[in-house]
Amino acid sequence: MSEQIRTMFARISPGYDKANAWLSLGLHHRWRRLAVRASGVRAGHRALDLATGTGDLALALVESVTVDGEVWASDFSLAMLRRARAKVMKAGVALQAADAQRLPYRDESFDVISIAFGIRNVDDPLATLREMKRVLRPSGSIVVVEFGRPTGIAGALFDLYARVWMPFLGGLLTGDRAAYRYLVRSSAAFPCGDAFAGLMNSAGLQVTEVKRLHGGVVFIYTATRS
């Protein structure tokens, strides 16, 4: 599956940022701000953003660590990293190609580790969470941003939006409607809320907060080493 996902992201990388802006109705900016706030990152910290895509969350972390800190960003898609390079290099973000399931970093080397809308695309989310714990310092924090499944009327409206509008508009902006059908399916199948918090606990993490946004469309999970 990993190679198929890598190929898919290479195909959609030219239009990825534009599609994100339209499909999230511009809310992705707020989600990033909330994730940075939840992470507790501050000046002087060493932060790592996994599955960084085109680097937007890494850039948001740079603002908080300031010149005294350090931000690394990794992704397994070289096409995405090429897009990220043009955006983050002037900010001093260190980019590295890496599989989130097998991180090339030393134990206990980061104060903050983030991953936004990426963990559902790895073959083994539990292995990824364990790797995040391995490279996290004892006093550090992990923040995960991922889609959820709203219920009730909000859930019905979101389901219609996700099944019909997202593949249509995503296909229009990137030329690859099938990719956005996959992204919708992967979101619907991935555990959210208490189920994902339980997965984090299974990886040896202690979940400190589960923030539910827009009725459950998006979740922000914060955790520390247990």
Side-chain angles (χ1 to χ4, degrees):
M1 177 63 83
S2 295
E3 195 54 43
Q4 293 174 334
I5 301 302
R6 195 193 320 268
T7 301
M8 180 194 75
F9 277 110
R11 291 198 309 267
I12 67 175
S13 61
Y16 183 78
D17 283 342
K18 186 178 291 186
N20 273 358
W22 280 93
L23 291 171
S24 72
L25 306 178
L27 290 170
H28 62 305
H29 299 296
R30 179 169 181 260
W31 299 338
R32 282 196 298 274
R33 288 195 300 271
L34 289 172
V36 170
R37 188 183 307 165
S39 75
V41 66
R42 61 181 185 271
H45 271 174
R46 191 168 192 250
L48 170 65
D49 185 42
L50 300 177
T52 195
T54 60
D56 284 336
L57 185 50
L59 280 174
L61 289 166
V62 166
E63 296 176 11
S64 293
V65 303
T66 70
V67 294
D68 297 323
E70 188 177 341
V71 175
W72 285 70
S74 70
D75 202 291
F76 80 153
S77 167
L78 294 179
M80 284 292 192
L81 287 177
R82 283 193 290 269
R83 297 280 166 181
R85 184 174 294 112
K87 294 165 62 175
V88 307
M89 290 301 281
K90 288 184 180 179
V93 175
L95 291 175
Q96 184 166 10
D99 185 337
Q101 300 165 110
R102 292 176 292 277
L103 295 174
Y105 308 111
R106 296 190 306 274
D107 293 358
E108 301 181 2
S109 53
F110 293 97
D111 299 289
V112 170
I113 304 172
S114 62
I115 183 167
F117 306 110
I119 197 163
R120 74 181 189 279
N121 295 317
V122 302
D123 289 338
D124 190 342
L126 185 59
T128 298
L129 291 168
R130 285 173 174 158
E131 275 292 88
M132 293 170 77
K133 178 191 175 185
R134 179 183 66 79
V135 302
L136 184 70
R137 288 172 178 163
S139 60
S141 67
I142 284 171
V143 61
V144 178
V145 187
E146 194 51 86
F147 286 115
R149 289 186 297 280
T151 57
I153 294 175
L157 291 173
F158 179 72
D159 183 62
L160 180 65
Y161 173 78
R163 286 188 298 104
V164 178
W165 181 244
M166 288 181 69
F168 170 76
L169 187 55
L172 190 66
L173 295 171
T174 66
D176 195 334
R177 185 176 295 194
Y180 285 86
R181 288 197 187 103
Y182 159 77
L183 292 171
V184 169
R185 290 196 307 271
S186 65
S187 297
F190 197 72
C192 65
D194 290 342
F196 184 73
L199 191 67
M200 296 184 83
N201 289 335
S202 297
L205 298 169
Q206 181 176 342
V207 177
T208 55
E209 184 179 20
V210 177
K211 188 181 292 292
R212 190 169 181 258
L213 305 177
H214 319 301
V217 172
V218 170
F219 283 84
I220 299 178
Y221 308 88
T222 312
T224 58
R225 294 177 61 145
S226 60

